[in-house]
Amino acid sequence: MLQLNKVHHIAIICSDYRRSLDFYTRLLGLTVKAENYRPETESYKTDLALGGEYVIELFSFNNPPERVTAPEAAGLRHLAFEVDDVDAAVTQLESMGIAHEAIRTDAATGKRFVFFYDPDRQPLELYEK
């Protein structure tokens, strides 16, 4: 068995780099650890941190294909963030004009969660601590 320590990062390809960078930094509160423009591919690779810990690589590529279906497509289903209070988080989403699904309860854990989407319709989840 491999001896894994933790998830190092999650890579996300966006269709509009500035719009997605704004979403993940200004609206979700992640911070830029490093932003690199790669002239050979005319794209960005930006490292984003949550609470000081590197968690997301945000990539831009020219004309990436759109996500084919909602979360049940093969590959990454969604990206989940832990929050202390789902109700407070939903209020914040609404104050920023970010649409979301109804709050649900995980039958296995009894914890509440809610889904919303990034600018490219990547499913994001807020899961109560």
Side-chain angles (χ1 to χ4, degrees), residues 65-74 120-121:
E66 290 185 21
R67 186 175 177 86
V68 178
T69 63
E72 285 67 33
D120 288 303
R121 302 282 306 148

Side-chain angles (χ1 to χ4, degrees), residues 3-124:
Q3 297 300 309
L4 304 177
N5 294 328
K6 65 178 184 174
V7 172
H8 188 266
H9 68 271
I10 295 128
I12 298 174
I13 297 172
C14 59
S15 63
D16 181 326
Y17 176 70
R18 292 290 168 205
R19 179 182 68 178
S20 291
L21 184 63
D22 180 67
F23 178 85
Y24 283 97
T25 57
R26 190 176 61 82
L27 297 179
L28 296 188
L30 280 73
T31 56
V32 175
K33 289 193 71 134
E35 181 178 48
N36 297 292
Y37 181 73
R38 302 174 307 173
E40 67 279 3
T41 58
E42 298 179 4
S43 65
Y44 282 92
K45 183 230 180 234
T46 299
D47 300 337
L48 300 174
L50 179 60
E53 186 174 336
Y54 168 52
V55 292
I56 292 178
E57 285 181 344
L58 187 63
F59 287 94
S60 69
F61 291 108
N62 291 322
N63 302 311
E66 290 185 21
R67 186 175 177 86
V68 178
T69 63
E72 285 67 33
L76 179 66
R77 181 176 175 147
H78 63 266
L79 172 58
F81 297 98
E82 179 182 283
V83 296
D84 289 328
D85 181 341
V86 167
D87 292 312
V90 163
T91 298
Q92 288 178 306
L93 289 175
E94 290 171 350
S95 74
M96 294 183 285
I98 298 173
H100 59 84
E101 296 180 0
I103 295 172
R104 296 186 249 168
T105 301
D106 185 327
T109 66
K111 301 288 185 173
R112 296 177 328 126
F113 63 95
V114 65
F115 280 98
F116 64 109
Y117 297 88
D118 83 354
D120 288 303
R121 302 282 306 148
Q122 169 65 45
L124 303 174

